[in-house]
Amino acid sequence: MAGFSKLAKVESKLLLRDPGAIFSMAIPLFILVIFSGGAGPGDTALPSMSMTIAVGLVGLYMVPTTLATYRERGILRRLSTTPVSPGALLGVQLMLQLVFAVLASAVLVAVSVVIFQAAPPARVVAMATAFLLGTSAIFAVGLLIAATAANGRAANGIGVLLYFPLAFLGGLMQPKEAMPELLAAIGEFTPLGLFRQAVHDAWSGAATQPLLLAIMAVYALVIGLVSARCFRWA
C-alpha cells in the first residue's frame, strides 16, 4: 500500500509537468472562450462540446502516449522485478488521467456557468453517469492504442490521427446538422459523438437515451478487454 501511494505521488508530479496536460486543458478552454460570444445565455451545446474535447484529448492523446513511452523506456519491465508491479503503474496512471479529466471538466463547467452564463447542469446524476461511461469508452480506445503502438511516438501519432476524424464525426468541429446525413448518423455512434450527446442531454435536462449509455458501456467493456489481451509489458 505504501508503495502504491508513493507511486501515485510520483506519477502525479510527472503528470502536472507533462506539456500534454497543459495542452489538453488549454485547447478546450480556448475554444470555449473564443466561441462563447456566439452562444446565448443558457447555452449548453458549447460547454458540452468543450468537455468532450477535453476528455477526448486526455483519452486519445495523453493515455496512450504515456503508457507506450513507459513501455518503450523499459519502465514497465523494470517494475516487474520490484514489489510494485507494472499493473500497479497502469492502474495509477488510469486513475490519475481520470482525475485530470474530471478536474478539466469541472473547470469548464465552472467557467461556462459563472463567466459565460451557461445554464447549470440540469441533471447532475445523469451527467455524472454519462461522463463515467463515456470516459471509460474513450480511455479504452486509448489503451488499445497503447497496447498496439510500437513506441510513444507512434502512440502519439495514432492518437492524434484517430482523434480528428472522431472529433469531426462527433460534431466537435461543426454542428452535425451541417454534416452530410450519412456522416452525421455514423458520428452519433462514435465514442466522442456518444459522449457529447449524452452529456448534452443531461446538462440541458433532456431525457436520458439508454441506448447511448449502453453503447458506451459496450465500447468500454469490449475494447477494454481487447486492450488487456493485447497489452505488452515489454
Side-chain angles (χ1 to χ4, degrees):
M1 185 66 181
F4 188 88
S5 300
K6 185 176 181 180
L7 182 62
K9 185 177 180 180
V10 171
E11 290 299 314
S12 299
K13 292 179 179 179
L14 293 176
L15 176 62
L16 292 176
R17 297 172 186 170
D18 186 354
I22 300 174
F23 176 80
S24 298
M25 181 70 256
I27 292 298
L29 190 58
F30 175 78
I31 290 174
L32 179 64
V33 171
I34 291 298
F35 291 101
S36 61
D43 174 67
T44 58
L46 179 60
S48 301
M49 182 185 73
S50 300
M51 186 186 295
T52 307
I53 292 172
V55 174
L57 288 173
V58 174
L60 299 178
Y61 170 68
M62 291 181 64
V63 168
T65 301
T66 301
L67 295 179
T69 300
Y70 279 6
R71 184 178 62 235
E72 178 187 4
R73 294 177 178 174
I75 294 174
L76 300 180
R77 183 178 65 253
R78 290 196 296 270
L79 276 177
S80 62
T81 64
T82 71
V84 181
S85 68
L89 176 62
L90 179 61
V92 166
Q93 266 297 322
L94 291 176
M95 178 189 69
L96 292 176
Q97 300 286 6
L98 175 60
V99 170
F100 181 78
V102 170
L103 292 176
S105 298
V107 169
L108 292 169
V109 171
V111 171
S112 299
V113 173
V114 176
I115 298 179
F116 299 118
Q117 300 181 330
R123 302 170 60 231
V124 176
V125 174
M127 186 170 171
T129 302
F131 180 89
L132 288 174
L133 287 174
T135 301
S136 298
I138 295 168
F139 275 30
V141 177
L143 275 175
L144 183 59
I145 297 172
T148 55
N151 50 49
R153 182 176 297 180
N156 189 337
I158 295 171
V160 171
L161 195 64
L162 189 60
Y163 175 83
F164 285 102
L166 287 178
F168 173 77
L169 291 171
L172 304 183
M173 296 184 176
Q174 64 175 338
K176 64 178 184 178
E177 292 78 14
M179 297 170 59
E181 187 174 339
L182 177 60
L183 292 182
I186 294 172
E188 290 178 358
F189 297 99
T190 61
L192 294 183
L194 290 164
F195 184 97
R196 181 193 59 77
Q197 187 61 56
V199 167
H200 181 251
D201 288 344
W203 198 327
S204 63
T208 298
Q209 301 183 56
L211 178 61
L212 302 186
L213 302 182
I215 295 175
M216 289 191 292
V218 170
Y219 272 141
L221 179 61
V222 174
I223 300 177
L225 288 174
V226 173
S227 303
R229 195 173 187 84
C230 296
F231 199 86
R232 296 177 292 110
W233 298 105

